[in-house]
Amino acid sequence: MALTIVGDPLPNMPWQEKPADEFGVLWRDTRNPIVKWNPTPSTARIFNSAFVPWEDGFIGVFRADHRDVYPHLHVGRSKDGIEWEFEDDEIDLRDEEGKPWISRYSYDPRVVKIDDTYYVTWCTDFGGPALGLARTQDFKTFTRMENICTPYNRNGVLFPRKIDGDFILLTRPSDAGHTAFGDIYLSRSKDLIHWGRHRRVMTSGPVWWEATKIGAGAPPIETSEGWLLFYHGVQTTCNGYVYSFGAVLLDLEQPEKVLYRTRNYLITPEKDYETTGMVPNVTFPCAALHDPETGRLALYYGAADTYIAVAYGSIPEIIEHIKKDSELVPGDAESYRG
Ligand code: BMA
């Protein structure tokens, strides 16, 4: 049966052809890193960020670490998905009454469009790291919505549509520091306020590249073979953590069930901009653009907590690869509820 990929056509997405000597199913843009040190007067590093198609280009919410090293969220715009312009001020978050909602820190945003609204999830201070949720329709006014979890939690990723009338959220419960454990969980909500029917989706694997912890990356892409989700996996070495990434296919109707899961990483820190920077050896995906008509994918990832980089792939080829290279972990194929 022919593969169906859901989404709006995106003929203007960035793209480079696969190099002849590439063995993998993802290949890096030769212009990487596309965002470099000190991108604006107030910001030292912009990385781990998320964006969506917008008018004839792209727009998004970026993790911008200031010169006091606190991270904040800034809006960025691009015509081609490669050259970005960032606002120097952080976004002005307001609560439902229009009052400022100021947070000490905000990092690792994800952005997803559901119906005609864009939702931002990110890690924020709630007496410790937890997940914030905001909505916008114009990337000028951002309304901070209810807290979606208690501390400690990171890596909140919403699905791009409801399933059985429920919003679906992936999270990664953690601790207050540089968490040395972590599995991906799923929660459902009718109203984006009350969350429940929690399920565990995946555990950190027995395979070493993802043995310490895992976390959801970009919002899942819907295909006839399941939800395609990229996720990061962390290995603990004698020199600290190494962040690589892999992919899974989740069941379309019961997305807490893993159908296939890559045994081998798809990308691991290899290039100078991935192995050297503020935090060496980090590749951390947060956003994906795709064109359903050509099957093209552009996966954006933070590199070394310093840069933004992009890798390309063909969705049909990636799906074939995940199925061939798959190894499930106990619990993956179940709707695991403890
Ligand atoms: C995680 C998050 C990410 C960061 C990674 C590596 O805990 O804080 O923002 O990229 O560590 O430092």
Side-chain angles (χ1 to χ4, degrees):
M1 203 177 68
L3 176 74
T4 309
I5 304 168
V6 176
D8 296 327
L10 198 57
N12 62 330
M13 65 176 275
W15 182 251
Q16 286 185 341
E17 293 298 333
K18 183 173 186 168
D21 59 355
E22 176 63 62
F23 298 124
V25 288
L26 293 179
W27 56 95
R28 294 161 172 88
D29 193 303
T30 52
R31 295 163 291 185
N32 281 348
I34 57 169
V35 178
K36 305 188 174 66
W37 276 97
N38 302 314
T40 82
S42 74
T43 62
R45 289 165 288 115
I46 292 187
F47 56 103
N48 298 3
S49 296
F51 32 88
V52 287
W54 179 259
E55 295 171 350
D56 58 349
F58 306 93
I59 197 165
V61 176
F62 290 73
R63 168 181 176 159
D65 286 20
H66 290 199
R67 294 185 206 289
D68 58 5
V69 194
Y70 277 90
H72 299 276
L73 303 180
H74 289 225
V75 169
R77 294 178 181 76
S78 176
K79 280 271 177 250
D80 60 1
I82 300 295
E83 303 229 349
W84 287 88
E85 279 186 19
F86 304 109
E87 291 183 3
D88 195 41
D89 292 323
E90 68 175 299
I91 63 176
D92 179 20
L93 274 182
R94 302 276 164 158
D95 66 15
E96 301 281 358
E97 277 78 54
K99 295 199 209 82
W101 186 322
I102 295 158
S103 180
R104 216 154 50 93
Y105 55 80
S106 302
Y107 60 83
D108 297 356
R110 302 339 192 249
V111 180
V112 70
K113 186 180 184 198
I114 307 176
D115 302 326
D116 60 350
T117 302
Y118 298 88
Y119 294 94
V120 188
T121 47
W122 73 98
C123 182
T124 186
D125 182 22
F126 179 27
L131 293 167
L133 172 67
R135 63 171 187 271
T136 186
Q137 285 183 319
D138 56 9
F139 288 84
K140 291 182 185 134
T141 311
F142 290 85
T143 305
R144 175 69 155 86
M145 301 165 69
E146 262 304 330
N147 294 317
I148 52 183
C149 62
T150 54
Y152 307 109
N153 212 320
R154 296 184 173 101
N155 298 303
V157 175
L158 280 168
F159 278 60
R161 70 164 169 88
K162 293 186 193 173
I163 299 176
D164 285 339
D166 293 328
F167 292 97
I168 309 287
L169 172 72
L170 299 174
T171 70
R172 209 288 304 285
S174 63
D175 66 15
H178 299 295
T179 317
F181 61 89
D183 298 335
I184 299 175
Y185 284 78
L186 178 150
S187 309
R188 291 177 164 79
S189 174
K190 298 269 179 230
D191 55 8
L192 294 169
I193 296 173
H194 306 91
W195 293 89
R197 289 178 61 204
H198 311 290
R199 295 289 183 273
R200 192 186 71 197
V201 181
M202 304 165 59
T203 57
S204 48
V207 182
W208 282 0
W209 70 266
E210 52 170 330
T212 300
K213 55 181 170 175
I214 54 177
I221 296 169
E222 185 173 3
T223 79
S224 49
E225 294 280 335
W227 294 98
L228 173 62
L229 172 74
F230 294 93
Y231 70 99
H232 67 256
V234 179
Q235 176 187 0
T236 305
T237 72
C238 59
N239 278 327
Y241 289 157
V242 175
Y243 282 73
S244 309
F245 55 88
V248 285
L249 282 171
L250 305 175
D251 186 86
L252 275 181
E253 298 312 317
Q254 277 187 283
E256 66 268 30
K257 286 191 188 176
V258 180
L259 305 176
Y260 300 97
R261 171 175 183 165
T262 43
R263 174 177 166 78
N264 298 302
Y265 59 71
L266 296 176
I267 288 224
T268 198
E270 289 168 15
K271 300 285 181 190
D272 289 351
Y273 54 86
E274 298 162 344
T275 59
T276 309
M278 179 72 178
V279 181
N281 299 319
V282 182
T283 54
F284 195 95
C286 290
L289 302 173
H290 75 285
D291 177 30
E293 298 191 346
T294 55
R296 289 176 175 180
L297 169 90
L299 189 62
Y300 287 78
Y301 58 100
D305 286 11
T306 304
Y307 309 108
I308 295 178
V310 56
Y312 303 109
S314 148
I315 292 177
E317 197 190 338
I318 293 166
I319 288 178
E320 277 313 300
H321 174 82
I322 299 175
K323 290 167 85 169
K324 240 182 19 224
D325 186 45
S326 179
E327 182 174 308
L328 295 188
V329 171
D332 274 358
E334 299 163 32
S335 176
Y336 182 83
R337 55 180 189 159

